[in-house]
Amino acid sequence: GETVENVRRYNSDTVLLADLPSCVNYAAGEMAEIPVLVSHYGKAIPKALLQIRISGSGKVLFRKELRLGEVPRGAITELYTVSFRMPKTDKPMALTLTAQLSGGDTDCENRWDLYVFPKTAAPSARSLKEKNVVVMESCDGTALWNALNEGKNVVMFGTGPFASVDVSWQISLAGRTNGHLATVIADHPLMEDFPHKGYCSRQFEHMLNGSRSVVLEAEGLSHNPIIDIASAYKNARPEAMMAEYRVGGGKLFICTLRLPESDPAACWLKNRILAYAAGEQFQPAQTLTDTQFAALCKVSPVAVSKNTNEAMNKNDITM
């Protein structure tokens, strides 16, 4: 799916840069200050023209055009700092920051994804209790099983009693036995308003780093999670970051993403999960039998198998 045009945005004589914060998720109404720079090693650009815009939901929300004079060669030069207040919105939004620089024999462009999330309130403890919702952040298999057999709607933030594996937003290198190679977000009511492209891009970075996935390996259990994460093919096993099941007389929702309060996307998603678990849409299609539930309750974490890479790559830390 890679194109020459896309590669040239980051691998060329002239590359436009944005000094983005570590988290590209913003709260609605928050002020953003984003320096735009250029790394230029071609001929000096005379009478350079810089064009910047921020767009979202089919509209241009910010537009700026500047004549910069000459841009020198052989340097990284700061061109302009975008000062932009994120829109106040009732639903999350995906925005695109686009920068274009032209002059002389140079014509380049780059773009970056930004995300805006409204502040939401979590359902009250009283309303969750009325809807039969129990929230667990750490629990053993017995406590979880008992709650489910009492007919509770259990939201488990974390891996609970299930086997688990370390997760990072950084994709693993092909051929390694550890790490993960891809993520997939299912078409699910919970994720309808959460902006995504079918996988976990940078809006999930802080939620994935430092988190764990659950290993959902049990005989006869089909693998249809809400957020899937693909293990290395040398250690192939069904894993997930988000899944739901009917268990006993209750329902189980699992979310193993880190959900720090400092991340507007994580706060929105956590509150959305709680509201979903208390609502009529929480109707898991899959059922875990008691045998399958017991099979998932293994000692955590899962050990990584020995590397079988015949090339014996010395950079492979799992050798």
Side-chain angles (χ1 to χ4, degrees), residues 254-269:
I254 305 166
C255 177
T256 65
L257 295 166
R258 278 185 65 248
L259 300 174
E261 293 184 3
S262 57
D263 184 346
C267 291
W268 186 92
L269 185 57

Side-chain angles (χ1 to χ4, degrees), residues 27 32 40 61 66 86 94 112 121 129 182 209 220 228-229 237 247 266 297:
H40 179 60
L61 307 176
L66 295 165
M86 294 295 167
W112 304 269
K129 185 176 181 180
N209 284 334
D228 196 359
I229 186 162
R237 54 182 165 246
V247 188
C297 294

Side-chain angles (χ1 to χ4, degrees), residues 85-116:
R85 187 171 296 281
M86 294 295 167
K88 293 182 179 180
T89 175
D90 295 330
K91 291 186 177 182
M93 291 180 65
L95 305 181
T96 302
L97 168 62
T98 303
Q100 296 171 304
L101 183 68
S102 58
D105 65 355
T106 299
D107 192 3
C108 63
E109 177 184 303
N110 209 344
R111 60 187 65 171
W112 304 269
D113 293 327
L114 309 172
Y115 301 90
V116 185

